Amino acid sequence: MTTIKKQNSVKNIQRKNTQKLTLSNKPVRGLLFAPYEELKKNNICVISWDRITIAGTLFAELNRSTLLELGWHETKLINGYAQQFRLMRGRKQVAELIRNKHNGRNYWRLDTSNHLTEKEKEKLTKTAQLMQDNIHITRLDLAIDFINCKHSGMKHNIYKQGTSQALFLDRYGTLETLYAGKQSSNIRYCYYNKLKERQKAKDNNIPIPYKTWERIELRLKGQKVNEWITQATKMLKYFKMPTIENNQQLKGSTKIILASLIEHPERINELASKRTRAKYRKLMKQYKGFNTDWQEMALAELNRRIPELNKELLDLDSRLITQLFSID
């Protein structure tokens, strides 16, 4: 099922469009880009962790002085005991520790973001080391960025049969954000216009060479984090750009039906016969009517980056290697 929503009212969009945006010559903090001159190139694909959440036993009261020395700020005090700690950079929160009482009084969750300096990463590593040996990953968000790429313009889609979608459009009907999968699911995909998102947030650090910036994210929770390589590969296999109108190999009704299924893959069950359904499933699997340039570029970059991405998880805490051994 596909749900389509307007992202903003016309009035709100017109008001936001009047806001002044300043671009910057600085690279984006936290992204694993090459030197700044590399950003001026086209067809850039960057893969990085956008969010890492670990959890485990932490005796916060016993380690309170250490946490404060590391720069954590106590919040949400109940009977004198902190229920949350925040790591700040000026007014911006870059990480948080949250007590999860459902799993026990001393069970804490450490949420990190991709926008960290080396000094902040060192503080998080020292914080993770305060946790007991039941430390484990509970959530991973993997971001795949396409910057100044051919075929930009939010023209891609996620073609995973049987998965619900929610689409958010701007006032002109252009796609801004696409979610595949329910929010409560352990696997969810999100494809969105990252450049527009940062412009709406009045971010003054967007590098000048960025003409287009689109992102697809893999969001994993629970046991699915152990499968992050497999799940990232699957997500990219579903990520394609329909080019049915330019496909000269398809004729007549076949082209029309396939075009409809590309936009609404869940409608394949409306086809009359089992043989016809099998025919169109085969066509969709063979990428008939799809451009897969971004998919192939991202799969190659993912394969190259796997060792580094695993190392980043282990740099946070080496005990996570027990969990990572189960990653295929």
Side-chain angles (χ1 to χ4, degrees):
M1 181 178 179
T2 302
T3 304
I4 301 176
K5 300 180 181 179
K6 291 289 185 179
Q7 191 78 303
N8 295 288
S9 68
V10 173
K11 183 178 180 181
N12 287 340
I13 292 175
Q14 287 175 336
R15 182 168 64 248
K16 290 181 179 180
N17 284 344
T18 63
Q19 295 170 340
K20 187 175 181 180
L21 178 70
T22 304
L23 298 180
S24 169
N25 280 314
K26 300 176 183 178
V28 174
R29 182 188 298 273
L31 290 182
L32 301 176
F33 286 129
Y36 178 69
E37 288 299 318
E38 292 292 313
L39 302 183
K40 297 180 181 179
K41 296 182 179 180
N42 293 326
N43 295 313
I44 300 172
C45 179
V46 180
I47 301 180
S48 59
W49 293 120
D50 187 62
R51 178 177 177 180
I52 302 170
T53 302
I54 61 176
T57 300
L58 171 66
F59 296 104
E61 286 71 43
L62 292 177
N63 292 286
R64 178 177 177 272
S65 60
T66 303
L67 291 171
L68 296 179
E69 287 173 7
L70 288 172
W72 291 96
H73 299 272
E74 293 177 305
T75 61
K76 298 184 179 179
L77 296 177
I78 298 179
N79 297 326
Y81 296 106
Q83 307 302 303
Q84 184 178 26
F85 290 85
R86 293 180 177 178
L87 188 64
M88 309 295 292
R89 185 195 307 135
R91 295 183 178 181
K92 182 178 181 179
Q93 178 179 303
V94 295
E96 63 179 348
L97 268 169
I98 302 173
R99 191 193 299 268
N100 188 340
K101 293 183 291 186
H102 297 292
N103 295 79
R105 185 175 179 277
N106 295 311
Y107 190 85
W108 289 76
R109 186 180 81 234
L110 172 61
D111 263 331
T112 74
S113 72
N114 184 42
H115 311 289
L116 298 171
T117 64
E118 289 303 316
K119 187 174 181 180
E120 289 163 350
K121 289 180 181 178
E122 183 179 342
K123 290 180 179 180
L124 292 180
T125 297
K126 291 181 179 179
T127 302
Q129 289 171 352
L130 297 175
M131 289 182 166
Q132 303 300 302
D133 287 340
N134 63 344
I135 184 172
H136 59 284
I137 303 169
T138 60
R139 175 166 176 169
L140 289 176
D141 288 6
L142 185 70
I144 303 176
D145 291 295
F146 299 93
I147 301 163
N148 297 344
C149 289
K150 185 180 179 181
H151 308 307
S152 294
M154 297 300 292
K155 299 174 182 176
H156 289 68
N157 206 333
I158 299 168
Y159 298 97
K160 184 179 181 183
Q161 296 183 20
T163 300
S164 61
Q165 290 190 347
L167 282 66
F168 294 84
L169 313 178
D170 65 15
R171 62 167 173 161
Y172 302 108
T174 302
L175 178 66
E176 285 193 353
T177 304
L178 183 156
Y179 292 101
K182 297 179 180 179
Q183 188 172 2
S184 59
S185 174
N186 286 340
I187 304 174
R188 200 182 195 203
Y189 310 145
C190 181
Y191 169 49
Y192 62 103
N193 189 327
K194 183 67 176 177
L195 181 61
K196 184 171 285 189
E197 179 211 50
R198 297 191 74 148
Q199 288 173 338
K200 285 184 175 181
K202 296 187 288 186
D203 189 337
N204 292 326
N205 292 314
I206 303 173
I208 291 174
Y210 284 28
K211 305 304 179 186
T212 64
W213 183 2
E214 297 173 24
R215 170 179 288 186
I216 184 169
E217 285 183 10
L218 171 67
R219 301 175 180 180
L220 299 174
K221 295 186 291 186
Q223 294 299 316
K224 291 300 179 181
V225 301
N226 300 339
E227 307 170 9
W228 78 263
I229 299 173
T230 297
Q231 295 300 334
T233 301
K234 285 183 176 181
M235 178 186 71
L236 289 172
K237 290 291 183 70
Y238 300 136
F239 187 58
K240 315 166 194 175
M241 183 182 76
T243 56
I244 187 68
E245 64 279 2
N246 298 322
N247 195 318
Q248 301 300 317
Q249 298 177 344
L250 298 170
K251 305 294 181 181
S253 61
T254 299
K255 190 171 186 177
I256 295 172
I257 294 172
L258 185 56
S260 176
L261 291 174
I262 285 172
E263 294 298 325
H264 304 283
E266 72 280 2
R267 292 181 179 173
I268 195 167
N269 292 323
E270 298 175 11
L271 297 176
S273 70
K274 183 177 180 180
R275 182 178 177 180
T276 303
R277 291 193 293 272
K279 169 188 172 181
Y280 284 99
R281 284 195 182 98
K282 184 177 180 180
L283 284 174
M284 295 174 76
K285 286 181 180 179
Q286 291 175 344
Y287 302 140
K288 296 291 185 181
F290 293 105
N291 178 291
T292 58
D293 289 352
W294 285 21
Q295 176 192 111
E296 293 165 10
M297 176 170 59
L299 284 170
E301 180 65 9
L302 175 65
N303 187 59
R304 186 186 72 81
R305 288 273 292 136
I306 285 173
E308 298 171 54
L309 291 166
N310 268 335
K311 183 178 182 300
E312 287 179 45
L313 297 177
L314 292 176
D315 284 347
L316 189 58
D317 195 293
S318 60
R319 289 172 295 174
L320 295 174
I321 194 169
T322 303
Q323 187 174 7
L324 293 177
F325 269 136
S326 65
I327 294 178
D328 42 11

